Amino acid sequence: MASEVLALDKPRSPKRPAARRSNFELYSWLFMRISGLALIVLVLGHLFIMNILDGGVHRINWGFVAGRWASPFWQFWDLAMLWLAEIHGGNGLRTIIDDYARKDSTRFWLKIVLYVSMVLILAVGTMVIFTFDPGISAN
């Protein structure tokens, strides 16, 4: 009886062929790590400048924002923070939707809502940064 070999059934074949593999999830994972590190620098720098340096939040008003956004450096800083935070957060929510939405139709509509909201927020935020006119009256 020791020479008997247990026979295992062959696994069932998949009902549909496997989808073509892409590296999207690898690039998504890599983006999350790199954007997370960049966001740490951008956000901590933003918090230090806005809340701690030179009197903190008491000096933030229209003139402060106008002076800050008159510089292309600060426009780029805030734009990079907006884009990285939005895409980083959207990518995280996309992963959560993929993990927890059970039905394909639910997953589809949740992702549509996510992508539309991401595009709208990025468009409005970018427009505000680039069309801000420091010369108009605060009143």
Side-chain angles (χ1 to χ4, degrees), residues 67-84:
R68 182 177 163 104
W69 278 356
S71 165
F73 175 80
W74 290 117
Q75 282 183 327
F76 176 76
W77 184 286
D78 289 346
L79 186 70
M81 197 167 42
L82 168 73
W83 276 77
L84 283 175

Side-chain angles (χ1 to χ4, degrees), residues 41-129:
V41 172
L42 291 169
V43 170
L44 289 179
H46 175 82
L47 289 173
F48 179 75
I49 291 165
M50 300 299 274
N51 297 329
I52 298 172
L53 201 63
D54 293 333
V57 296
H58 301 294
R59 68 184 161 84
I60 299 174
N61 57 21
W62 177 269
F64 178 81
V65 174
R68 182 177 163 104
W69 278 356
S71 165
F73 175 80
W74 290 117
Q75 282 183 327
F76 176 76
W77 184 286
D78 289 346
L79 186 70
M81 197 167 42
L82 168 73
W83 276 77
L84 283 175
E86 183 67 32
I87 297 172
H88 183 95
N91 190 31
L93 283 174
R94 179 193 61 82
T95 304
I96 290 170
I97 290 169
D98 282 341
D99 287 347
Y100 291 105
R102 295 176 188 231
K103 293 170 47 177
D104 288 340
S105 61
T106 304
R107 189 176 305 114
F108 172 79
W109 287 110
L110 286 173
K111 283 184 180 181
I112 291 296
V113 169
L114 172 65
Y115 297 149
V116 167
S117 66
M118 286 177 64
V119 168
L120 288 174
I121 290 170
L122 285 173
V124 170
T126 302
M127 184 182 72
V128 166
I129 290 173

